[in-house]
Amino acid sequence: QLQPVESGGGLVQPGGSLTLSCADSGSQLDYYSIGWYRQAPGKEREGVSAISIGGSTKYADSVKGRFTISRDNAKNMVYLQMNNMKPEDTAIYYCAELPFLTLTVPLRSWGQGTQVTVSS
């Protein structure tokens, strides 16, 4: 299991944008599909978006058309561009390596994630 590190969270107003980054100190992200997940207070962790090694993508219905996942294998980074953000996007966001392209939440230990708060 990798221990990727998430960054880029913060406070943003409704309608605003943020870009999250996922990095791995061992530079192994390019060997895996990568998923973004989030957990809001009092709710279960849910899949947001995922990208395969080849660049195929999946999105949860709640973020389609607003979020874009991408990867830069040369930099060993995966990004989540979030536009037109809504208060319901408020959550801690996590990234994780995946054996294949899926939004199913994997059973694993999770890092600290990065907090995203959408509020006026």
Side-chain angles (χ1 to χ4, degrees):
Q1 176 179 311
L2 302 184
Q3 294 295 333
V5 177
E6 306 87 354
S7 61
L11 173 64
V12 63
Q13 292 186 342
S17 299
L18 278 177
T19 300
L20 305 183
S21 298
C22 175
D24 173 56
S25 61
S27 299
Q28 297 188 58
L29 291 184
D30 53 339
Y31 294 113
Y32 297 91
S33 293
I34 301 295
W36 281 99
Y37 301 86
R38 66 186 181 186
Q39 187 166 23
K43 295 187 177 181
E44 293 187 352
R45 188 173 279 120
E46 64 175 356
V48 175
S49 183
I51 187 167
S52 71
I53 296 172
S56 296
T57 58
K58 279 185 179 288
Y59 295 94
D61 288 343
S62 59
V63 306
K64 279 181 182 177
R66 300 189 299 120
F67 290 11
T68 303
I69 191 171
S70 62
R71 66 191 306 160
D72 185 336
N73 288 337
K75 294 183 179 179
N76 209 247
M77 298 286 290
V78 174
Y79 305 98
L80 186 67
Q81 172 71 43
M82 304 184 293
N83 298 325
N84 190 23
M85 296 184 71
K86 303 176 180 181
E88 50 264 42
D89 295 322
T90 296
I92 300 175
Y93 284 70
Y94 306 85
C95 61
E97 77 280 9
L98 302 166
F100 52 87
L101 189 63
T102 178
L103 293 181
T104 300
V105 179
L107 290 173
R108 59 172 286 136
S109 61
W110 296 88
Q112 292 186 332
T114 187
Q115 175 70 51
V116 172
T117 302
V118 185
S119 175
S120 55

